[in-house]
Amino acid sequence: MVSSSHEAMHRIFQDYPGLFSGVSKVLGIDFAPPTSVAVLPNDLTATSPVERRVDTLVRLESEDAEPLLLAIEAQGQKDPDKPASWAYYASYLLTKYRLQPVLLVVCQDRSTAEWAAGPVDFGPPQWPLLTLRPLVAGPHNMPVITDPAEVRKDLALATLSAITHAKNPDVGAILKAMTTVLRDTPQAIADPIIELISQGLGKRPAAELWRNLVAVDLSFYKSYIAEEIRDEGRAEGRAEDILRLLDRRGIDVSNDDRERITSCDDLDVLGRWFDRAITAASTTEVFAD
């Protein structure tokens, strides 16, 4: 099953295709900023029944170079079958589009990133037929951006950096720099970044830190995650109000009842329980349908 962090690591290049130019500079490769970008179908399935899909595929054009195809793969762990698939992608893309392909692999784990970097030879050792050399972006080579001034220089690169450094001990400083800049960033630009980072962090501890930072620093945003966080905060507050009211009225609340109240995130249900708690003689009456 494809995870949200997997999606964020490659979809960011669909939203900000010019990001590849910044990433390539970090990786020590000179690709000119594109003057034209087109997101292409990612289905590389041939006439055979085997389905093959690259995560993201874009065509990049620049003033001083031939157009190229950029295939982006988000890789969560080592997979011995992937190099052969990547080699197939490169050959297929060259054959179909007659444009030179570049493969960028994005990772959040250093060992996976170093594995993905290869190079991998195909063919007998005495005469390899071809060599696969992906570009790899991961925690081993993406900058740790904790200075808001650096974030402002390239929001897309800073966003990818935050995603690839999800396990970094300094991730708190990285995320704080992001919210500092997003406070005065137009909402139409900030909202997609908020969502991408939320998806990219997945279920890691940094995700909860990000949610809290968004709730405090970016409380005026109306993005999905911001609304979700504010709803959770209101639910927690209402649950505390119910428990406090029952306590003041001397109503016994068992551990199970307390868990039921504090784990509820439906504001409408909590509202009904609060109204009943004003006059109920027991928690059974509070929960009555």
Side-chain angles (χ1 to χ4, degrees):
M1 183 177 180
V2 176
S3 66
S4 59
S5 59
H6 176 280
E7 289 293 293
M9 284 191 286
H10 70 86
R11 286 188 62 87
I12 186 174
F13 289 89
Q14 297 182 27
D15 295 339
Y16 307 96
L19 170 62
F20 177 64
S21 179
V23 171
S24 67
K25 289 179 181 178
V26 172
L27 301 180
I29 311 295
D30 186 19
F31 284 100
T35 56
S36 175
V37 176
V39 178
L40 304 178
N42 65 342
D43 190 348
L44 306 186
T45 306
T47 55
S48 65
V50 179
E51 183 178 285
R52 299 182 188 274
R53 293 181 185 272
V54 66
D55 286 334
T56 283
L57 178 64
V58 295
R59 171 182 169 136
L60 303 179
E61 296 184 9
S62 59
E63 292 181 353
D64 302 322
E66 291 294 320
L68 61 85
L69 295 175
L70 174 62
I72 302 104
E73 284 278 282
Q75 192 65 29
Q77 60 186 6
K78 298 176 184 178
D79 182 348
D81 295 329
K82 264 307 172 72
S85 294
W86 292 338
Y88 170 86
Y89 296 166
S91 176
Y92 180 92
L93 292 172
L94 180 61
T95 301
K96 179 176 181 178
Y97 293 100
R98 297 299 176 181
L99 294 174
Q100 294 300 327
V102 175
L103 173 64
L104 175 66
V105 182
V106 183
C107 306
Q108 292 175 299
D109 176 79
R110 184 186 182 97
S111 63
T112 301
E114 292 176 343
W115 161 83
V120 178
D121 291 328
F122 295 90
Q126 52 276 54
W127 192 267
L129 175 64
L130 58 88
T131 299
L132 179 73
R133 296 180 61 213
L135 284 172
V136 177
H140 66 306
N141 57 13
M142 285 292 98
V144 176
I145 304 177
T146 58
D147 183 352
E150 293 299 313
V151 173
R152 285 190 177 91
K153 289 181 181 179
D154 194 332
L155 263 174
L157 181 63
T159 300
L160 181 66
S161 174
I163 292 172
T164 55
H165 287 289
K167 299 179 182 178
N168 192 305
D170 294 327
V171 69
I174 297 171
L175 299 178
K176 181 62 178 178
M178 292 297 304
T179 56
T180 298
V181 173
L182 292 177
R183 273 202 299 264
D184 54 17
T185 299
Q187 186 173 347
I189 297 174
D191 279 354
I193 290 175
I194 293 172
E195 304 301 336
L196 277 168
I197 294 177
S198 176
Q199 292 176 1
L201 297 178
K203 297 183 179 180
R204 296 175 180 84
E208 184 63 26
L209 175 58
W210 177 243
R211 294 166 69 84
N212 291 334
L213 284 170
V214 170
V216 174
D217 293 352
L218 307 175
S219 58
F220 50 87
Y221 283 126
K222 301 299 183 182
S223 66
Y224 173 80
I225 182 177
E227 286 297 298
E228 184 181 78
I229 291 169
R230 285 193 285 275
D231 283 347
E232 289 180 357
R234 289 194 290 266
E236 291 174 2
R238 181 51 61 93
E240 291 176 0
D241 291 342
I242 295 171
L243 292 172
R244 187 180 301 112
L245 177 59
L246 292 173
D247 179 66
R248 292 289 180 87
R249 296 190 59 241
I251 304 298
D252 182 59
V253 180
S254 69
N255 290 336
D256 288 344
D257 290 341
R258 184 177 299 273
E259 172 65 21
R260 182 174 180 181
I261 293 171
T262 57
S263 63
C264 180
D265 58 5
D266 189 317
L267 289 171
D268 291 336
V269 172
L270 289 169
R272 289 198 297 272
W273 290 350
F274 180 83
D275 292 340
R276 293 170 184 170
I278 297 173
T279 58
S282 67
T283 54
T284 300
E285 293 183 15
V286 172
F287 297 140
D289 291 334

